[in-house]
Amino acid sequence: MKKLCLLGLLVSLASHPVLAETAPVPLENKEAFISDLLKRMTLEEKIGQLRLISIGPEMPRELIRKEIAAGNIGGTFNSITRPENRPMQDAAMRSRLKIPMFFAYDVIHGHRTIFPISLALASSWDMDAIGRSGRIAAKEASADSLDITFAPMVDISRDPRWGRTSEGFGEDTYLVSRIAKVMVKAYQGQSPALPDSIMASVKHFALYGAVEGGRDYNIVDMSPVKMYQDYLPPYRAAIDAGAGGVMVALNSINGVPATSNTWLMNDLLRKEWGFKGLAVSDHGAIIELIRHGVAKDGREAAKLAIKAGIDMSMNDSLYGKELPGLLKSGEIEQKDIDNAVREVLAAKYDMGLFKDPYVRIGKAEDDPADTNAESRLHRSDARDIARRSLVLLKNQNDTLPLQKTAKIALVGPLAKAPIDMMGSWAAAGVPAQSVTLYDGMRNVLGDKAQLVYARGSNITADKKVVDYLNFLNFDAPEVVDDPRTAQQMIDEAVNAARQSDVIVAAVGESRGMSHESSSRTDLHIPASQRDLIKALKATGKPLVLVLMNGRPLSLLEENQQADAILETWFSGTEGGNAIADVLFGDYNPSGKLPITFPRSVGQIPTYYNHLTIGRPFTPGKPGNYTSQYFDDTTGPLFPFGYGLSYTSFSLSDMALSSTTLNKSGKLDASVTVKNTGKRDGETVVQLYIQDVAGSMIRPIKELKNFQKVMLKAGEEKAIHFTITEDDLKFYNAQLKYAAEPGDFNVQIGLDSQDVKQQSFELL
Ligand code: NOJ
């Protein structure tokens, strides 16, 4: 047995490109292997490993290969096919120590097959579906030679003005933490070293979702308790699930940029949480330390970043320029550089690249003839996952599902919008391969189609906004205006509506409106589209709004005008088919909001689990001197956890197994959920807990568990949740994580507002 292992070891060493030429160090022993490699590296080679560059169309490839062969680059991103990446890996294999490159990309919600945006995935509350989307993305990305993704993005976002709300999984710490874990496991599979796995690099560490005023790249000022309680757990969940990397946020935290924040990177991430992986700066973040006003020049910026524990520098050249001088002058120590290099090498080791630098690049003869080939897509999974992520917000008089024999007017600037369908961060998705709503409805209706289409309006009539959204889209602008006047387009749409039994209006945002650097002051659907909705409403025909957007919108008026509203977010490659499945009743919607919809932008923040206050507003008992805005109804338009179905559900017989809980004990909370309607359907039973009185003010409730349940028409089922002391723990003023004895309310509901309640005491 021993002999066999030794033989295997010798074979693998002999075939290893680095070790073949040098002293044999066991590749199987990660620490020894990396230490040995480190010893043999020059300072330049070490600093080269810390450089992560973006490959753009304008980059001279030959120069890049030269730099790689000279040992001056550790990894790239944005170059995403095997034929593109192979020559770079070949160049690395020509370098003195043959240290492999890694290839990274923003695989956020799919790679070639585009799944619904993250906020939509979260709306499914379906961990299997979400995990499936991540696993397929990993398979597709690794088949395209990618080794690592800058995902999952798990920033808690409670301010929908922030454009990157679309990219995260919503406002709730518990839900986002569950998804963070699922996504890391999905990307990395059994191991990030496997050929069909990619390493996960969780972002944006930390608190990026809390930027002031929802303005991208802004500051974050937050109490430690709030950080620990609400914002940090999802990153921690990703790390505990084994995420190999962390991307550091662009924002500052309580006056110190994340990129130079030794408390964040060292004390919290590495010491307290035990993170052992790769820390990458965000794009140009090190040089931005000068603009943040914490570094007087590039030299100081590089020093702060390396000292804080930024291993790899994304797209700025300061490490290369400044680290040698800083070392010489004694401002940094050799170990500062070595520690960073060690993390880069360890990540490459964990990706399986030392064992086989071509593990995901494969052989040229196996390259796909067409990277965009239809056969490389996972359409049926994309359709299934997209259907699960749609949220029915309103359905007055059973307007939906539509009759397949009905005459339908399909209007709106998003009805035929293949690019928008994919959402932002659409990785390698090809717009021409995405199914629009028009296509999806045609696919259901076939030749019998009585579908009349009219565009109805442009996305917006504000030229400045269009220019902003098209800025940087050099090849082809994304937001293309119809040259007709607004009135001409509305007239055409109204005409189509008059000839029809029902109107379906696809309205909302273009995908660029919910993206990086796309903060908004106004959460309304743009005015041009609101004018269209008004005119459609005036026809008196039943009006179905199919919303496409990447953040909660304020829909007060639309909620009055529309008979039915389906929130579809940006639902990906198969979006049109998935939406049509729901519109025509071939799939019964089951999504629930992972984020609160405010009535107006002025109400923000509106997250459901806010802290209790001394003078709460009590519905039904209006009056002065309670916490409210006097000029609008208090409370959200659609609460967290809300979403309808074509059937109805009731909850009854809520019970707790005991009115007390011992610290090491368990409590069973149960409820009977019944499908009281005529169709089979799924719903999400949600468990919330409130700590009634503690040493600190606690939230009015917090999601602690949920179950998605499928019930046939008329079927009922008892749902059980186990509550333990762990569910009651929180960070107190000393940041100690513990449960305090006392009374707790347990609430079970099908959304966060409409709940049944029972109480118990923690002894
Ligand atoms: C900047 C973004 O903030 C980050 O999320 C992304 O991963 C990088 N650019 C690379 O594209």
Side-chain angles (χ1 to χ4, degrees), residues 493-509:
V494 164
N495 233 337
R498 287 214 178 101
Q499 301 161 43
S500 306
D501 304 318
V502 58
I503 309 162
V504 174
V507 291
E509 301 181 300

Side-chain angles (χ1 to χ4, degrees), residues 54 77-78 105-106 108 150-151 153 164 167 203-204 208 216-217 247-248 250 281-283 314 425 516:
S54 165
F77 63 111
N78 288 341
Y105 196 37
D106 288 290
I108 309 287
F150 300 134
M153 188 284 218
R164 301 192 81 168
E167 220 184 305
K203 69 186 183 189
H204 302 82
Y208 189 22
D216 212 357
Y217 317 120
M247 183 188 287
V248 181
L250 291 165
S281 68
D282 201 346
H283 212 124
M314 182 190 286
W425 299 108
E516 182 179 345

Side-chain angles (χ1 to χ4, degrees), residues 317-336:
S317 49
L318 286 180
Y319 272 5
K321 229 187 270 164
E322 306 294 353
L323 292 186
L326 286 165
L327 187 63
K328 213 164 165 201
S329 69
E331 287 169 86
I332 63 167
E333 296 169 62
Q334 185 64 50
K335 75 167 171 36
D336 296 323

Side-chain angles (χ1 to χ4, degrees), residues 387-512:
R387 301 194 310 190
R388 292 169 189 274
S389 69
L390 308 180
V391 188
L392 184 63
L393 296 176
K394 180 176 182 185
N395 194 18
Q396 186 175 282
N397 305 325
D398 291 335
T399 307
L400 290 176
L402 302 174
Q403 297 290 327
K404 289 182 186 166
T405 48
K407 193 157 187 210
I408 302 168
L410 174 62
V411 299
L414 291 159
K416 285 188 179 179
I419 294 187
D420 298 301
M421 210 61 175
M422 299 195 302
S424 56
W425 299 108
V430 175
Q433 287 176 324
S434 77
V435 180
T436 65
L437 179 56
Y438 178 81
D439 297 336
M441 291 178 78
R442 288 290 304 207
N443 290 343
V444 171
L445 298 171
D447 293 339
K448 304 185 300 272
Q450 299 203 64
L451 193 65
V452 200
Y453 165 78
R455 182 174 162 98
S457 82
N458 285 323
I459 286 284
T460 169
D462 189 334
K463 175 91 174 55
K464 280 207 301 294
V465 171
V466 174
D467 288 346
Y468 184 80
L469 296 171
N470 285 334
F471 176 67
L472 288 188
N473 296 317
F474 302 118
D475 302 339
E478 280 197 9
V479 182
V480 185
D481 279 347
D482 187 311
R484 289 175 292 170
T485 66
Q487 198 54 51
Q488 281 170 328
M489 279 189 276
I490 286 181
D491 289 348
E492 185 192 39
V494 164
N495 233 337
R498 287 214 178 101
Q499 301 161 43
S500 306
D501 304 318
V502 58
I503 309 162
V504 174
V507 291
E509 301 181 300
S510 73
R511 71 166 183 173

Side-chain angles (χ1 to χ4, degrees), residues 82-93:
R82 290 158 57 136
E84 280 175 286
N85 290 338
R86 186 176 295 107
M88 290 197 268
Q89 198 64 297
D90 290 345
M93 291 304 110

Side-chain angles (χ1 to χ4, degrees), residues 506-714:
V507 291
E509 301 181 300
S510 73
R511 71 166 183 173
M513 290 170 76
S514 275
H515 188 32
E516 182 179 345
S517 189
S518 298
S519 301
R520 296 182 64 190
T521 60
D522 179 3
L523 296 179
H524 286 113
I525 292 172
S528 57
Q529 299 182 61
R530 277 186 283 140
D531 292 344
L532 169 66
I533 296 169
K534 214 175 291 163
L536 294 172
K537 170 74 184 162
T539 64
K541 299 285 170 118
L543 176 60
V544 178
L545 296 187
V546 171
L547 297 175
M548 297 186 194
N549 48 291
R551 51 157 66 84
L553 297 174
S554 48
L555 298 166
L556 216 46
E557 209 179 340
E558 293 75 7
N559 192 36
Q560 281 158 10
Q561 293 161 323
D563 297 280
I565 304 180
L566 183 66
E567 176 55 81
T568 72
W569 310 111
F570 297 114
S571 46
T573 305
E574 278 289 310
N577 284 332
I579 300 169
D581 286 340
V582 168
L583 289 179
F584 291 110
D586 295 324
Y587 181 83
N588 188 354
S590 60
K592 301 275 187 177
L593 295 179
I595 191 164
T596 308
F597 272 46
R599 297 169 65 83
S600 68
V601 76
Q603 280 187 320
I604 294 169
T606 48
Y607 57 93
Y608 79 95
N609 53 349
H610 60 82
L611 296 177
T612 39
I613 49 172
R615 294 189 181 189
F617 173 78
T618 314
K621 284 192 192 160
N624 293 339
Y625 307 114
T626 62
S627 186
Q628 61 177 311
Y629 296 107
F630 69 80
D631 57 354
D632 196 1
T633 307
T634 300
L637 183 61
F638 300 115
F640 175 82
Y642 171 84
L644 303 170
S645 161
Y646 292 154
T647 188
S648 49
F649 298 96
S650 72
L651 293 181
S652 61
D653 305 328
M654 180 184 171
L656 296 182
S657 56
S658 168
T659 50
T660 56
L661 173 66
N662 288 317
K663 282 221 163 191
S664 54
K666 282 183 182 159
L667 197 77
D668 178 78
S670 59
V671 76
T672 301
V673 53
K674 181 169 184 181
N675 181 341
T676 50
K678 295 198 184 75
R679 281 169 179 264
D680 302 350
E682 272 182 296
T683 189
V684 181
V685 183
Q686 303 160 34
L687 175 91
Y688 297 88
I689 296 183
Q690 180 191 17
D691 187 345
V692 179
S695 62
M696 303 266 308
I697 298 173
R698 308 289 353 274
I700 58 159
K701 62 181 75 183
E702 290 170 294
L703 182 70
K704 289 293 175 181
N705 210 337
F706 59 86
Q707 284 180 42
K708 193 157 187 177
V709 215
M710 176 76 196
L711 291 172
K712 296 210 170 316

